[in-house]
Amino acid sequence: SSVQLSASAFAQITMEDGGVITLELYADVAPITVSNFIKLAKDGVYDGTIFHRVIKDFMIQGGDPTGTGYGDPSLDTITGEFSANGVNNTISHKRGVISMARSQDMNSASSQFFICDADSPHLDGQYAAFGYVLKGMNVVDYIADNAVVQDANGTVAPSDQPVIEKIEVVEK
């Protein structure tokens, strides 16, 4: 039985190379996460950031202003909206889902997000999924297929990091 989700907003990730990923965001499922993502996008936090962690057939991760994966300590952290943290999040980590990255701390997410390149149900209940790619999975696949992976953590080589030019949000 699939839950009917109603998009509360749409976001467009424009890559420096011209690729566009269009997302629908579900504030009814993850209100804190969606409002944090929208605020960061509107504040320009994502402009010029990279997909710093790319693991083909798993996910592409970006949104860190430092470009390292360690995150910007000046950014606020948010409550993790997933079942392991007591929140009923009904979005499964299927191919095309956008979700928040975090450290071991369940309430440590700030700006980093990932887009699933493959179904990853093992992440359900552990990470705050908050949207879905409407258009542009070809761009996600292109990044997953072409980023030059540097190490076992999936961190891409600095010379070939896919750059996010900007993320724009349209609220319904």
Side-chain angles (χ1 to χ4, degrees), residues 44-77:
V45 170
Y46 294 125
D47 300 358
T49 60
I50 58 172
F51 280 102
H52 64 273
R53 189 165 176 245
V54 176
I55 303 174
K56 185 173 166 42
D57 299 324
F58 178 42
M59 58 94 210
I60 63 172
Q61 182 173 321
D64 179 0
T66 72
T68 62
Y70 290 106
D72 181 340
S74 74
L75 294 173
D76 291 336
T77 55

PDB file of all heavy atoms in Angstrom, residues 44-77:
ATOM      1  N   GLY A  44      21.108  30.841  -0.319  1.00  0.00           N
ATOM      2  CA  GLY A  44      22.252  30.660  -1.222  1.00  0.00           C
ATOM      3  C   GLY A  44      23.343  29.759  -0.672  1.00  0.00           C
ATOM      4  O   GLY A  44      24.439  29.695  -1.230  1.00  0.00           O
ATOM      5  N   VAL A  45      23.050  29.032   0.407  1.00  0.00           N
ATOM      6  CA  VAL A  45      24.052  28.158   1.030  1.00  0.00           C
ATOM      7  C   VAL A  45      24.549  27.090   0.050  1.00  0.00           C
ATOM      8  O   VAL A  45      25.707  26.698   0.074  1.00  0.00           O
ATOM      9  CB  VAL A  45      23.478  27.516   2.324  1.00  0.00           C
ATOM     10  CG1 VAL A  45      24.401  26.417   2.856  1.00  0.00           C
ATOM     11  CG2 VAL A  45      23.248  28.580   3.382  1.00  0.00           C
ATOM     12  N   TYR A  46      23.648  26.630  -0.841  1.00  0.00           N
ATOM     13  CA  TYR A  46      24.014  25.549  -1.769  1.00  0.00           C
ATOM     14  C   TYR A  46      24.721  26.037  -3.037  1.00  0.00           C
ATOM     15  O   TYR A  46      25.287  25.229  -3.767  1.00  0.00           O
ATOM     16  CB  TYR A  46      22.760  24.761  -2.159  1.00  0.00           C
ATOM     17  CG  TYR A  46      22.141  24.001  -1.010  1.00  0.00           C
ATOM     18  CD1 TYR A  46      20.807  24.180  -0.662  1.00  0.00           C
ATOM     19  CD2 TYR A  46      22.885  23.088  -0.272  1.00  0.00           C
ATOM     20  CE1 TYR A  46      20.236  23.462   0.391  1.00  0.00           C
ATOM     21  CE2 TYR A  46      22.328  22.379   0.780  1.00  0.00           C
ATOM     22  CZ  TYR A  46      21.009  22.571   1.102  1.00  0.00           C
ATOM     23  OH  TYR A  46      20.454  21.869   2.129  1.00  0.00           O
ATOM     24  N   ASP A  47      24.681  27.347  -3.296  1.00  0.00           N
ATOM     25  CA  ASP A  47      25.272  27.881  -4.529  1.00  0.00           C
ATOM     26  C   ASP A  47      26.776  27.605  -4.574  1.00  0.00           C
ATOM     27  O   ASP A  47      27.501  27.965  -3.643  1.00  0.00           O
ATOM     28  CB  ASP A  47      25.030  29.393  -4.637  1.00  0.00           C
ATOM     29  CG  ASP A  47      23.549  29.766  -4.663  1.00  0.00           C
ATOM     30  OD1 ASP A  47      22.705  28.849  -4.635  1.00  0.00           O
ATOM     31  OD2 ASP A  47      23.249  30.970  -4.709  1.00  0.00           O
ATOM     32  N   GLY A  48      27.218  26.956  -5.632  1.00  0.00           N
ATOM     33  CA  GLY A  48      28.643  26.685  -5.809  1.00  0.00           C
ATOM     34  C   GLY A  48      29.164  25.506  -5.015  1.00  0.00           C
ATOM     35  O   GLY A  48      30.364  25.239  -5.015  1.00  0.00           O
ATOM     36  N   THR A  49      28.269  24.769  -4.336  1.00  0.00           N
ATOM     37  CA  THR A  49      28.725  23.589  -3.602  1.00  0.00           C
ATOM     38  C   THR A  49      28.825  22.393  -4.555  1.00  0.00           C
ATOM     39  O   THR A  49      28.381  22.468  -5.696  1.00  0.00           O
ATOM     40  CB  THR A  49      27.785  23.239  -2.416  1.00  0.00           C
ATOM     41  OG1 THR A  49      26.476  22.980  -2.916  1.00  0.00           O
ATOM     42  CG2 THR A  49      27.741  24.370  -1.388  1.00  0.00           C
ATOM     43  N   ILE A  50      29.411  21.330  -4.064  1.00  0.00           N
ATOM     44  CA  ILE A  50      29.688  20.174  -4.918  1.00  0.00           C
ATOM     45  C   ILE A  50      28.991  18.912  -4.400  1.00  0.00           C
ATOM     46  O   ILE A  50      28.590  18.852  -3.241  1.00  0.00           O
ATOM     47  CB  ILE A  50      31.204  19.893  -4.974  1.00  0.00           C
ATOM     48  CG1 ILE A  50      31.760  19.655  -3.551  1.00  0.00           C
ATOM     49  CG2 ILE A  50      31.944  21.027  -5.683  1.00  0.00           C
ATOM     50  CD1 ILE A  50      33.190  19.199  -3.502  1.00  0.00           C
ATOM     51  N   PHE A  51      28.873  17.939  -5.286  1.00  0.00           N
ATOM     52  CA  PHE A  51      28.538  16.578  -4.846  1.00  0.00           C
ATOM     53  C   PHE A  51      29.880  15.962  -4.473  1.00  0.00           C
ATOM     54  O   PHE A  51      30.661  15.565  -5.321  1.00  0.00           O
ATOM     55  CB  PHE A  51      27.816  15.805  -5.951  1.00  0.00           C
ATOM     56  CG  PHE A  51      26.356  16.159  -6.049  1.00  0.00           C
ATOM     57  CD1 PHE A  51      25.898  17.005  -7.043  1.00  0.00           C
ATOM     58  CD2 PHE A  51      25.447  15.657  -5.130  1.00  0.00           C
ATOM     59  CE1 PHE A  51      24.551  17.348  -7.112  1.00  0.00           C
ATOM     60  CE2 PHE A  51      24.100  15.992  -5.199  1.00  0.00           C
ATOM     61  CZ  PHE A  51      23.653  16.839  -6.187  1.00  0.00           C
ATOM     62  N   HIS A  52      30.170  15.940  -3.161  1.00  0.00           N
ATOM     63  CA  HIS A  52      31.500  15.542  -2.688  1.00  0.00           C
ATOM     64  C   HIS A  52      31.599  14.046  -2.433  1.00  0.00           C
ATOM     65  O   HIS A  52      32.686  13.520  -2.289  1.00  0.00           O
ATOM     66  CB  HIS A  52      31.843  16.294  -1.394  1.00  0.00           C
ATOM     67  CG  HIS A  52      30.941  15.950  -0.245  1.00  0.00           C
ATOM     68  ND1 HIS A  52      29.748  16.612  -0.027  1.00  0.00           N
ATOM     69  CD2 HIS A  52      31.027  14.999   0.722  1.00  0.00           C
ATOM     70  CE1 HIS A  52      29.157  16.077   1.028  1.00  0.00           C
ATOM     71  NE2 HIS A  52      29.903  15.094   1.502  1.00  0.00           N
ATOM     72  N   ARG A  53      30.459  13.368  -2.339  1.00  0.00           N
ATOM     73  CA  ARG A  53      30.488  11.922  -2.070  1.00  0.00           C
ATOM     74  C   ARG A  53      29.575  11.256  -3.085  1.00  0.00           C
ATOM     75  O   ARG A  53      28.370  11.512  -3.106  1.00  0.00           O
ATOM     76  CB  ARG A  53      30.004  11.673  -0.641  1.00  0.00           C
ATOM     77  CG  ARG A  53      30.196  10.250  -0.174  1.00  0.00           C
ATOM     78  CD  ARG A  53      30.054  10.145   1.347  1.00  0.00           C
ATOM     79  NE  ARG A  53      30.165   8.747   1.718  1.00  0.00           N
ATOM     80  CZ  ARG A  53      29.182   8.036   2.254  1.00  0.00           C
ATOM     81  NH1 ARG A  53      28.015   8.595   2.508  1.00  0.00           N
ATOM     82  NH2 ARG A  53      29.364   6.765   2.529  1.00  0.00           N
ATOM     83  N   VAL A  54      30.167  10.417  -3.934  1.00  0.00           N
ATOM     84  CA  VAL A  54      29.413   9.793  -5.024  1.00  0.00           C
ATOM     85  C   VAL A  54      29.718   8.299  -5.014  1.00  0.00           C
ATOM     86  O   VAL A  54      30.875   7.897  -5.148  1.00  0.00           O
ATOM     87  CB  VAL A  54      29.822  10.403  -6.390  1.00  0.00           C
ATOM     88  CG1 VAL A  54      29.112   9.690  -7.529  1.00  0.00           C
ATOM     89  CG2 VAL A  54      29.509  11.907  -6.421  1.00  0.00           C
ATOM     90  N   ILE A  55      28.678   7.506  -4.810  1.00  0.00           N
ATOM     91  CA  ILE A  55      28.850   6.058  -4.825  1.00  0.00           C
ATOM     92  C   ILE A  55      27.865   5.492  -5.843  1.00  0.00           C
ATOM     93  O   ILE A  55      26.655   5.495  -5.613  1.00  0.00           O
ATOM     94  CB  ILE A  55      28.639   5.444  -3.424  1.00  0.00           C
ATOM     95  CG1 ILE A  55      29.609   6.084  -2.416  1.00  0.00           C
ATOM     96  CG2 ILE A  55      28.828   3.932  -3.482  1.00  0.00           C
ATOM     97  CD1 ILE A  55      29.402   5.661  -0.977  1.00  0.00           C
ATOM     98  N   LYS A  56      28.421   5.079  -6.976  1.00  0.00           N
ATOM     99  CA  LYS A  56      27.602   4.562  -8.078  1.00  0.00           C
ATOM    100  C   LYS A  56      26.698   3.430  -7.603  1.00  0.00           C
ATOM    101  O   LYS A  56      27.108   2.614  -6.783  1.00  0.00           O
ATOM    102  CB  LYS A  56      28.541   4.075  -9.194  1.00  0.00           C
ATOM    103  CG  LYS A  56      27.818   3.619 -10.446  1.00  0.00           C
ATOM    104  CD  LYS A  56      28.836   3.328 -11.547  1.00  0.00           C
ATOM    105  CE  LYS A  56      28.255   2.569 -12.701  1.00  0.00           C
ATOM    106  NZ  LYS A  56      26.943   2.985 -13.157  1.00  0.00           N
ATOM    107  N   ASP A  57      25.476   3.416  -8.095  1.00  0.00           N
ATOM    108  CA  ASP A  57      24.467   2.423  -7.710  1.00  0.00           C
ATOM    109  C   ASP A  57      24.091   2.499  -6.232  1.00  0.00           C
ATOM    110  O   ASP A  57      23.589   1.542  -5.655  1.00  0.00           O
ATOM    111  CB  ASP A  57      24.907   0.997  -8.060  1.00  0.00           C
ATOM    112  CG  ASP A  57      25.124   0.833  -9.560  1.00  0.00           C
ATOM    113  OD1 ASP A  57      24.366   1.449 -10.340  1.00  0.00           O
ATOM    114  OD2 ASP A  57      26.058   0.114  -9.947  1.00  0.00           O
ATOM    115  N   PHE A  58      24.333   3.658  -5.610  1.00  0.00           N
ATOM    116  CA  PHE A  58      23.887   3.891  -4.233  1.00  0.00           C
ATOM    117  C   PHE A  58      23.318   5.304  -4.117  1.00  0.00           C
ATOM    118  O   PHE A  58      22.115   5.488  -4.091  1.00  0.00           O
ATOM    119  CB  PHE A  58      25.022   3.639  -3.237  1.00  0.00           C
ATOM    120  CG  PHE A  58      24.638   3.907  -1.800  1.00  0.00           C
ATOM    121  CD1 PHE A  58      23.407   3.504  -1.285  1.00  0.00           C
ATOM    122  CD2 PHE A  58      25.524   4.556  -0.950  1.00  0.00           C
ATOM    123  CE1 PHE A  58      23.062   3.756   0.053  1.00  0.00           C
ATOM    124  CE2 PHE A  58      25.191   4.804   0.381  1.00  0.00           C
ATOM    125  CZ  PHE A  58      23.962   4.409   0.884  1.00  0.00           C
ATOM    126  N   MET A  59      24.210   6.318  -4.109  1.00  0.00           N
ATOM    127  CA  MET A  59      23.711   7.682  -3.960  1.00  0.00           C
ATOM    128  C   MET A  59      24.777   8.711  -4.319  1.00  0.00           C
ATOM    129  O   MET A  59      25.959   8.393  -4.417  1.00  0.00           O
ATOM    130  CB  MET A  59      23.195   7.912  -2.541  1.00  0.00           C
ATOM    131  CG  MET A  59      24.193   7.682  -1.440  1.00  0.00           C
ATOM    132  SD  MET A  59      25.010   9.219  -0.990  1.00  0.00           S
ATOM    133  CE  MET A  59      26.596   8.620  -0.457  1.00  0.00           C
ATOM    134  N   ILE A  60      24.300   9.959  -4.520  1.00  0.00           N
ATOM    135  CA  ILE A  60      25.199  11.099  -4.686  1.00  0.00           C
ATOM    136  C   ILE A  60      24.890  12.065  -3.538  1.00  0.00           C
ATOM    137  O   ILE A  60      23.730  12.333  -3.243  1.00  0.00           O
ATOM    138  CB  ILE A  60      25.058  11.783  -6.069  1.00  0.00           C
ATOM    139  CG1 ILE A  60      23.664  12.390  -6.271  1.00  0.00           C
ATOM    140  CG2 ILE A  60      25.379  10.784  -7.187  1.00  0.00           C
ATOM    141  CD1 ILE A  60      23.539  13.244  -7.539  1.00  0.00           C
ATOM    142  N   GLN A  61      25.928  12.540  -2.859  1.00  0.00           N
ATOM    143  CA  GLN A  61      25.735  13.388  -1.678  1.00  0.00           C
ATOM    144  C   GLN A  61      26.399  14.734  -1.880  1.00  0.00           C
ATOM    145  O   GLN A  61      27.520  14.819  -2.371  1.00  0.00           O
ATOM    146  CB  GLN A  61      26.335  12.701  -0.443  1.00  0.00           C
ATOM    147  CG  GLN A  61      26.149  13.484   0.851  1.00  0.00           C
ATOM    148  CD  GLN A  61      26.603  12.676   2.050  1.00  0.00           C
ATOM    149  OE1 GLN A  61      26.391  11.468   2.122  1.00  0.00           O
ATOM    150  NE2 GLN A  61      27.220  13.339   3.021  1.00  0.00           N
ATOM    151  N   GLY A  62      25.685  15.788  -1.510  1.00  0.00           N
ATOM    152  CA  GLY A  62      26.205  17.141  -1.632  1.00  0.00           C
ATOM    153  C   GLY A  62      25.623  18.053  -0.577  1.00  0.00           C
ATOM    154  O   GLY A  62      25.033  17.596   0.403  1.00  0.00           O
ATOM    155  N   GLY A  63      25.792  19.361  -0.799  1.00  0.00           N
ATOM    156  CA  GLY A  63      25.202  20.357   0.085  1.00  0.00           C
ATOM    157  C   GLY A  63      26.078  20.813   1.228  1.00  0.00           C
ATOM    158  O   GLY A  63      25.623  21.541   2.104  1.00  0.00           O
ATOM    159  N   ASP A  64      27.351  20.406   1.243  1.00  0.00           N
ATOM    160  CA  ASP A  64      28.264  20.840   2.302  1.00  0.00           C
ATOM    161  C   ASP A  64      29.026  22.071   1.815  1.00  0.00           C
ATOM    162  O   ASP A  64      29.813  21.973   0.876  1.00  0.00           O
ATOM    163  CB  ASP A  64      29.256  19.721   2.633  1.00  0.00           C
ATOM    164  CG  ASP A  64      30.260  20.116   3.708  1.00  0.00           C
ATOM    165  OD1 ASP A  64      30.206  21.260   4.205  1.00  0.00           O
ATOM    166  OD2 ASP A  64      31.116  19.282   4.047  1.00  0.00           O
ATOM    167  N   PRO A  65      28.829  23.252   2.460  1.00  0.00           N
ATOM    168  CA  PRO A  65      29.542  24.459   2.029  1.00  0.00           C
ATOM    169  C   PRO A  65      31.067  24.326   2.097  1.00  0.00           C
ATOM    170  O   PRO A  65      31.773  25.017   1.378  1.00  0.00           O
ATOM    171  CB  PRO A  65      29.064  25.540   3.006  1.00  0.00           C
ATOM    172  CG  PRO A  65      27.782  25.034   3.563  1.00  0.00           C
ATOM    173  CD  PRO A  65      27.888  23.530   3.548  1.00  0.00           C
ATOM    174  N   THR A  66      31.570  23.401   2.933  1.00  0.00           N
ATOM    175  CA  THR A  66      33.023  23.234   3.037  1.00  0.00           C
ATOM    176  C   THR A  66      33.558  22.295   1.947  1.00  0.00           C
ATOM    177  O   THR A  66      34.763  22.238   1.721  1.00  0.00           O
ATOM    178  CB  THR A  66      33.455  22.666   4.412  1.00  0.00           C
ATOM    179  OG1 THR A  66      33.081  21.280   4.497  1.00  0.00           O
ATOM    180  CG2 THR A  66      32.843  23.449   5.563  1.00  0.00           C
ATOM    181  N   GLY A  67      32.659  21.531   1.314  1.00  0.00           N
ATOM    182  CA  GLY A  67      33.075  20.606   0.258  1.00  0.00           C
ATOM    183  C   GLY A  67      33.799  19.378   0.748  1.00  0.00           C
ATOM    184  O   GLY A  67      34.325  18.608  -0.046  1.00  0.00           O
ATOM    185  N   THR A  68      33.825  19.164   2.054  1.00  0.00           N
ATOM    186  CA  THR A  68      34.625  18.069   2.622  1.00  0.00           C
ATOM    187  C   THR A  68      33.800  16.897   3.135  1.00  0.00           C
ATOM    188  O   THR A  68      34.325  15.804   3.314  1.00  0.00           O
ATOM    189  CB  THR A  68      35.439  18.583   3.828  1.00  0.00           C
ATOM    190  OG1 THR A  68      34.509  19.030   4.836  1.00  0.00           O
ATOM    191  CG2 THR A  68      36.373  19.713   3.428  1.00  0.00           C
ATOM    192  N   GLY A  69      32.520  17.146   3.445  1.00  0.00           N
ATOM    193  CA  GLY A  69      31.709  16.125   4.097  1.00  0.00           C
ATOM    194  C   GLY A  69      31.685  16.296   5.604  1.00  0.00           C
ATOM    195  O   GLY A  69      30.922  15.644   6.300  1.00  0.00           O
ATOM    196  N   TYR A  70      32.554  17.182   6.132  1.00  0.00           N
ATOM    197  CA  TYR A  70      32.554  17.426   7.576  1.00  0.00           C
ATOM    198  C   TYR A  70      31.505  18.449   7.992  1.00  0.00           C
ATOM    199  O   TYR A  70      31.160  18.552   9.158  1.00  0.00           O
ATOM    200  CB  TYR A  70      33.947  17.864   8.049  1.00  0.00           C
ATOM    201  CG  TYR A  70      34.938  16.733   7.981  1.00  0.00           C
ATOM    202  CD1 TYR A  70      35.902  16.692   6.990  1.00  0.00           C
ATOM    203  CD2 TYR A  70      34.872  15.672   8.897  1.00  0.00           C
ATOM    204  CE1 TYR A  70      36.797  15.630   6.908  1.00  0.00           C
ATOM    205  CE2 TYR A  70      35.759  14.609   8.818  1.00  0.00           C
ATOM    206  CZ  TYR A  70      36.717  14.598   7.830  1.00  0.00           C
ATOM    207  OH  TYR A  70      37.599  13.556   7.742  1.00  0.00           O
ATOM    208  N   GLY A  71      31.009  19.220   7.033  1.00  0.00           N
ATOM    209  CA  GLY A  71      29.948  20.173   7.315  1.00  0.00           C
ATOM    210  C   GLY A  71      30.439  21.497   7.863  1.00  0.00           C
ATOM    211  O   GLY A  71      31.584  21.628   8.291  1.00  0.00           O
ATOM    212  N   ASP A  72      29.538  22.477   7.837  1.00  0.00           N
ATOM    213  CA  ASP A  72      29.834  23.818   8.321  1.00  0.00           C
ATOM    214  C   ASP A  72      29.254  23.937   9.723  1.00  0.00           C
ATOM    215  O   ASP A  72      28.034  23.952   9.896  1.00  0.00           O
ATOM    216  CB  ASP A  72      29.189  24.841   7.375  1.00  0.00           C
ATOM    217  CG  ASP A  72      29.455  26.271   7.785  1.00  0.00           C
ATOM    218  OD1 ASP A  72      29.804  26.509   8.970  1.00  0.00           O
ATOM    219  OD2 ASP A  72      29.297  27.164   6.936  1.00  0.00           O
ATOM    220  N   PRO A  73      30.119  24.023  10.749  1.00  0.00           N
ATOM    221  CA  PRO A  73      29.629  24.057  12.131  1.00  0.00           C
ATOM    222  C   PRO A  73      28.783  25.287  12.455  1.00  0.00           C
ATOM    223  O   PRO A  73      28.075  25.299  13.451  1.00  0.00           O
ATOM    224  CB  PRO A  73      30.908  24.022  12.976  1.00  0.00           C
ATOM    225  CG  PRO A  73      32.005  24.407  12.065  1.00  0.00           C
ATOM    226  CD  PRO A  73      31.574  24.071  10.667  1.00  0.00           C
ATOM    227  N   SER A  74      28.823  26.303  11.600  1.00  0.00           N
ATOM    228  CA  SER A  74      28.022  27.500  11.857  1.00  0.00           C
ATOM    229  C   SER A  74      26.552  27.301  11.481  1.00  0.00           C
ATOM    230  O   SER A  74      25.695  28.096  11.859  1.00  0.00           O
ATOM    231  CB  SER A  74      28.591  28.702  11.101  1.00  0.00           C
ATOM    232  OG  SER A  74      28.302  28.608   9.718  1.00  0.00           O
ATOM    233  N   LEU A  75      26.259  26.227  10.737  1.00  0.00           N
ATOM    234  CA  LEU A  75      24.869  25.969  10.337  1.00  0.00           C
ATOM    235  C   LEU A  75      24.121  25.239  11.448  1.00  0.00           C
ATOM    236  O   LEU A  75      24.683  24.390  12.137  1.00  0.00           O
ATOM    237  CB  LEU A  75      24.826  25.126   9.060  1.00  0.00           C
ATOM    238  CG  LEU A  75      25.360  25.782   7.793  1.00  0.00           C
ATOM    239  CD1 LEU A  75      25.397  24.766   6.655  1.00  0.00           C
ATOM    240  CD2 LEU A  75      24.503  26.987   7.393  1.00  0.00           C
ATOM    241  N   ASP A  76      22.840  25.579  11.602  1.00  0.00           N
ATOM    242  CA  ASP A  76      22.002  24.914  12.595  1.00  0.00           C
ATOM    243  C   ASP A  76      21.799  23.449  12.227  1.00  0.00           C
ATOM    244  O   ASP A  76      21.735  23.100  11.051  1.00  0.00           O
ATOM    245  CB  ASP A  76      20.616  25.577  12.661  1.00  0.00           C
ATOM    246  CG  ASP A  76      20.686  26.983  13.241  1.00  0.00           C
ATOM    247  OD1 ASP A  76      21.642  27.285  13.982  1.00  0.00           O
ATOM    248  OD2 ASP A  76      19.773  27.774  12.938  1.00  0.00           O
ATOM    249  N   THR A  77      21.678  22.602  13.236  1.00  0.00           N
ATOM    250  CA  THR A  77      21.294  21.207  13.012  1.00  0.00           C
ATOM    251  C   THR A  77      19.798  21.088  13.276  1.00  0.00           C
ATOM    252  O   THR A  77      19.208  21.937  13.955  1.00  0.00           O
ATOM    253  CB  THR A  77      22.083  20.242  13.916  1.00  0.00           C
ATOM    254  OG1 THR A  77      21.905  20.637  15.272  1.00  0.00           O
ATOM    255  CG2 THR A  77      23.559  20.238  13.557  1.00  0.00           C
TER     256      THR A  77
END
